[in-house]
Amino acid sequence: MEDRNLRNIGIIAHVDAGKTTTSERILYYTGENHRLGEVHDGAATMDFDPQEQARGITINSAATTVFWHGHQINLIDTPGHIDFNIEVNRSLRVLDGAVVVFDGVAGVEPQTETNWRLADKYHVPRLAFVNKLDRIGADFPRVVESMRQRLGVTPLPLQWPIGREGEFRGLVDLVTMQALTWPAHGDPAPAEVGPVPADLADEVASARAQLVEAVVEQDDALMAAWLDGGVPDEAQLRAGIRRGTLSGRFVPVLLGSAFKNKGVEPLLDAVIAYLPSPSDVPVAGEHDIQPNPDGPLAALAFKVTHDDHGTLTFIRLYRGRLKQGDTVYNATQGKRERISRLYEMHADRKHERDAVAAGAIVAVVGLKSTVTGDTLTAPDHPLVLERIDAPEPVIDVSVQARTQGDQQQMLKALHAMVQEDPSLRLRVDAESGQTILSGMGELQLEVALENMRTRFHVEAELGRPQVSYRETITHAAETRYLHRKQTGGAGQYAEVVLRVEPLPRGAGFVFIDRNVGGAVPREFVPAVEAGVRRTAEAGVLAGFPVVDLQVTLLDGSHHEKDSSSLAFELAAAAALRQALRDAGPQLLEPVMAVEVVTPLEYVGDSIGDINRRRGLVRDQTQRANAAAIEAQVPLQNMFGYIGQLRALSSGRASFTMQFDHYAPVPAQVAAAIVH
């Protein structure tokens, strides 16, 4: 398969926008599946995990390969629920393009926005697919406008809908100026091609004019011809749309109803025509890697899973070739690894391959040390690619095996799950001795518990979810600390001078060495940093990690015989504790971005309930016969919210939430937590 005929794409969206249904239709129309798999029946090919089938949501990203008009499409279907956002994050890191699915009624939803920003971070060109246009309240122009307003992009419709809501039956292709209509009953029959309906002539002419204007702006010669009255032909339009898509000047917008089998084939055509091949998006950054199959190997491990046959590591090849039996170098960890098997994945089915080349996305067996984000290279050409950042967890739960005999098996299962999902964290509480699992939300932790039971055959219990607070400081402070012990033999001596300063919210932790003249010898500086980091992890108020903090080693002193790494680590730990207490320590709590969608008659009750939870309402918009309320609410007050929301709305309201930022805890609330 030539590189230019390859597409590595992801399907991303807010939960329930129809993302997995769109993926299933792609499998059907490309011939990979010979029957339609439905999410609501638990029969979706891409949702093969029993929990996904039972819950009706995507939990794990699933990869497959399909072929369309002489092109190979490596497709990854990603979760829409915020608790599993790490799957979207790591998928976008290795994909060349994406299809973002929008609900034709809801428009831009919170998780769509989050995923869109992730795609911005990784510079992934996108197509927008406005789905569910057959639903009551669907409004294509309104969704396009919400993209413009909320995402800050220039949406460029390439199609226009024929019919509204229940009367939706097809679309006008604004490039070819032909109408495509499908059977009203939704059978997967080919589209019927015809002229533009007369009643849509004015709307279509206006949309077409906007399309042509956006395209000619990409090319000076086309612009000059257009100003002289010329009209670009179909090939020029397609070339201009492709240029604008790859450069990010605009986002092509397509439409349809995946469930009713309308608009899927034109979407596939657009993926081939407008999204990039691997050679269109060389890896930029620290290393400018061209996707040359004959160059030295460069690949990124982006996902690790465990099954009955061992560990599967998903990798994206950016350069070179890989074959079974190859020895590769894990440049991140400085270890050699051997490739035992290579597989092309089709959801949960594996097709063994002897060799693959640059651009491929495959799963390999045999890697023992490689984790998410590690770079694999040729042993004689090491380099490290940009890692995948995992979000910080916001919820802690204690995990306890039901029987003492299961304790070791439980720990083994937990370590395997943390290796698979970097947004899960595992630690042992120093005071209670409890095993603490941290994650992004209650659903993610529930799924982890169920995985322990079904995959690892361990019965365990989760404690009540606890908020993962943080600590910070409010002003700078400086302290000098001398650690000295004499016990008859060799003594301990270390003196350090530390300065602590607050950093902007979200900046994390920074350590700087500014001591001069060897006051603290160079070989002891790592020990100072280790002591500082250990203390910062434990905090000084209530045992929570200290964040948004800069610690500077200014000065100190040492003893030729009695100084050691241990002495400097102990001195640094004690000095930081003292400095933090002097710097106005403050407790921070995770604040969630919450969106409540409720019938109009319950808006007042919903807002009142948000206010009682220390929430702040930021915006309110109308969606058909419902209202969407956007608010920021402390996570502490969101546990069990769904029950209360259903009670006050007769079961008709719903909500989504995702982490937004950390904010200072009010004094009266902090007092209860600290004591």
Side-chain angles (χ1 to χ4, degrees):
M1 178 65 62
E2 289 184 37
D3 175 87
R4 62 186 178 84
N5 291 339
L6 176 63
R7 301 290 182 272
N8 290 315
I9 70 162
I11 309 287
I12 61 177
H14 185 90
V15 66
D16 284 340
K19 171 182 41 57
T20 297
T21 300
T22 302
S23 299
E24 292 298 317
R25 295 308 185 266
I26 288 174
L27 293 181
Y28 178 81
Y29 283 104
T30 56
E32 178 62 26
N33 280 359
H34 299 292
R35 60 179 292 275
L36 294 172
E38 303 294 6
V39 175
H40 59 270
D41 293 334
T45 303
M46 303 298 272
D47 284 352
F48 55 84
D49 185 284
Q51 287 210 66
E52 295 177 318
Q53 294 170 354
R55 296 173 187 268
I57 61 170
T58 303
I59 295 171
N60 306 293
S61 57
T64 193
T65 299
V66 297
F67 295 87
W68 184 253
H69 295 172
H71 290 70
Q72 177 180 331
I73 302 174
N74 292 329
L75 174 71
I76 296 182
D77 176 35
T78 65
H81 198 288
I82 185 61
D83 283 18
F84 310 106
N85 191 243
I86 183 63
E87 295 285 353
V88 185
N89 191 338
R90 58 185 172 189
S91 297
L92 284 172
R93 170 64 182 83
V94 298
L95 291 169
D96 302 324
V99 173
V100 185
V101 181
F102 293 80
D103 185 313
V105 179
V108 178
E109 298 175 272
Q111 188 59 19
T112 321
E113 200 166 346
T114 301
N115 292 339
W116 195 273
R117 303 303 173 215
L118 277 175
D120 284 342
K121 173 183 175 182
Y122 294 123
H123 308 292
V124 177
R126 277 143 277 176
L127 300 178
F129 179 64
V130 180
N131 192 28
K132 299 188 178 184
L133 284 180
D134 58 312
R135 301 279 291 273
I136 294 173
D139 187 331
F140 179 71
R142 179 166 52 79
V143 175
V144 171
E145 186 55 32
S146 74
M147 290 176 62
R148 190 187 317 278
Q149 296 292 332
R150 295 191 58 171
L151 302 178
V153 298
T154 302
L156 184 66
L158 305 187
Q159 301 168 345
W160 200 257
I162 299 175
R164 288 175 60 90
E165 301 179 339
E167 300 300 315
F168 172 71
R169 62 186 188 278
L171 57 89
V172 174
D173 185 326
L174 298 175
V175 176
T176 63
M177 291 302 284
Q178 292 178 316
L180 305 178
T181 54
W182 286 270
H185 43 69
D187 285 351
E192 185 176 312
V193 181
V196 176
D199 61 329
L200 290 178
D202 291 343
E203 292 178 25
V204 167
S206 174
R208 163 80 175 193
Q210 292 178 30
L211 170 62
V212 171
E213 185 175 343
V215 167
V216 298
E217 287 178 354
Q218 307 293 310
D219 187 298
D220 291 342
L222 270 184
M223 174 66 83
W226 181 67
L227 292 173
D228 287 338
V231 178
D233 60 28
E234 186 178 322
Q236 290 172 321
L237 280 177
R238 293 192 188 282
I241 295 168
R242 182 177 178 80
R243 278 196 300 275
T245 305
L246 299 190
S247 68
R249 291 283 297 275
F250 49 70
V251 178
V253 185
L254 300 101
L255 60 91
S257 168
F259 182 61
K260 293 294 180 65
N261 303 299
K262 295 176 172 66
V264 180
E265 303 107 302
L267 174 62
L268 280 164
D269 291 338
V271 165
I272 300 306
Y274 307 127
L275 288 182
S277 69
S279 58
D280 292 320
V281 281
V283 182
E286 185 181 347
H287 307 281
D288 187 14
I289 297 176
Q290 300 297 325
N292 176 11
D294 298 318
L297 176 70
L300 186 76
F302 69 94
K303 181 172 178 173
V304 177
T305 65
H306 299 84
D307 62 18
D308 296 339
H309 305 292
T311 301
L312 266 185
T313 307
F314 287 75
I315 64 172
R316 161 71 192 268
L317 268 71
Y318 286 103
R319 187 177 65 197
R321 300 178 190 274
L322 194 61
K323 62 180 186 297
Q324 294 192 15
D326 277 356
T327 295
V328 299
Y329 182 66
N330 183 326
T332 309
Q333 300 195 31
K335 296 179 179 179
R336 288 180 179 247
E337 298 261 42
R338 187 175 179 276
I339 306 294
S340 301
R341 293 275 190 275
L342 278 171
Y343 294 109
E344 185 180 87
M345 298 301 295
H346 294 271
D348 59 339
R349 293 180 288 118
K350 307 183 190 78
H351 291 178
E352 192 164 347
R353 298 284 300 272
D354 294 326
V356 291
I361 292 177
V362 292
V364 302
V365 173
L367 304 182
K368 292 182 169 54
S369 303
T370 301
V371 297
T372 296
D374 284 359
T375 302
L376 303 175
T377 68
D380 54 346
H381 285 82
L383 59 89
V384 177
L385 298 171
E386 178 189 357
R387 289 187 64 83
I388 297 168
D389 296 326
E392 285 295 315
V394 294
I395 292 183
D396 298 339
V397 291
S398 61
V399 189
Q400 177 67 46
R402 289 200 178 160
T403 66
Q404 193 62 37
D406 276 349
Q407 187 69 17
Q408 283 303 111
Q409 186 64 17
M410 182 195 80
L411 290 174
K412 183 179 175 183
L414 287 171
H415 282 293
M417 289 192 294
V418 169
Q419 187 184 20
E420 290 181 355
D421 184 351
S423 66
L424 287 173
R425 306 287 167 85
L426 191 63
R427 62 181 172 87
V428 175
D429 185 87
E431 291 185 10
S432 67
Q434 288 182 313
T435 301
I436 305 296
L437 184 66
S438 304
M440 300 304 298
E442 292 178 88
L443 178 59
Q444 183 191 26
L445 297 173
E446 285 174 20
V447 168
L449 180 68
E450 184 66 13
N451 276 338
M452 272 198 287
R453 189 181 68 79
T454 57
R455 289 177 51 199
F456 298 96
H457 312 295
V458 176
E459 295 290 341
E461 296 176 350
L462 296 185
R464 183 174 176 273
Q466 302 290 326
V467 173
S468 184
Y469 291 98
R470 295 288 185 267
E471 298 179 18
T472 192
I473 58 174
T474 55
H475 56 80
E478 196 173 301
T479 190
R480 178 183 295 270
Y481 187 86
L482 173 62
H483 173 79
R484 178 160 45 188
K485 274 190 176 180
Q486 195 68 43
T487 55
Q492 291 184 12
Y493 182 96
E495 184 179 31
V496 295
V497 179
L498 298 181
R499 178 176 175 79
V500 295
E501 299 166 83
L503 292 175
R505 195 72 68 237
F509 178 93
V510 176
F511 175 79
I512 298 173
D513 173 23
R514 290 229 174 97
N515 100 96
V516 294
V520 176
R522 186 175 301 277
E523 64 266 28
F524 296 138
V525 171
V528 173
E529 182 174 358
V532 162
R533 288 188 179 275
R534 179 164 54 83
T535 299
E537 278 297 310
V540 292
L541 282 176
F544 297 105
V546 185
V547 296
D548 307 331
L549 171 72
Q550 178 173 298
V551 180
T552 306
L553 173 61
L554 297 175
D555 199 2
S557 64
H558 68 286
H559 188 278
E560 288 296 332
K561 291 184 179 179
D562 292 347
S563 288
S564 65
S565 291
L566 175 61
F568 272 102
E569 186 172 337
L570 293 171
L576 184 63
R577 276 192 292 272
Q578 185 174 309
L580 291 175
R581 291 191 187 100
D582 295 340
Q586 184 179 56
L587 205 60
L588 299 175
E589 64 181 344
V591 176
M592 313 302 283
V594 178
E595 183 182 75
V596 177
V597 179
T598 176
L600 295 173
E601 59 263 39
Y602 302 114
V603 168
D605 290 341
S606 299
I607 290 177
D609 187 55
I610 288 170
N611 291 334
R612 283 191 293 275
R613 295 172 188 271
R614 290 196 288 126
L616 175 65
V617 175
R618 306 302 296 262
D619 195 15
Q620 180 183 328
T621 56
Q622 190 165 339
R623 290 183 188 164
N625 59 348
I629 304 164
E630 293 178 35
Q632 293 179 339
V633 189
L635 173 61
Q636 176 65 46
N637 299 321
M638 289 301 293
F639 292 127
Y641 177 58
I642 186 61
Q644 178 66 26
L645 182 64
R646 285 172 177 161
L648 63 82
S649 67
S650 302
R652 295 169 63 193
S654 62
F655 86 101
T656 58
M657 73 173 180
Q658 59 189 12
F659 171 72
D660 192 78
H661 66 283
Y662 273 94
V665 179
Q668 67 274 21
V669 179
I673 297 167
V674 171
H675 299 298

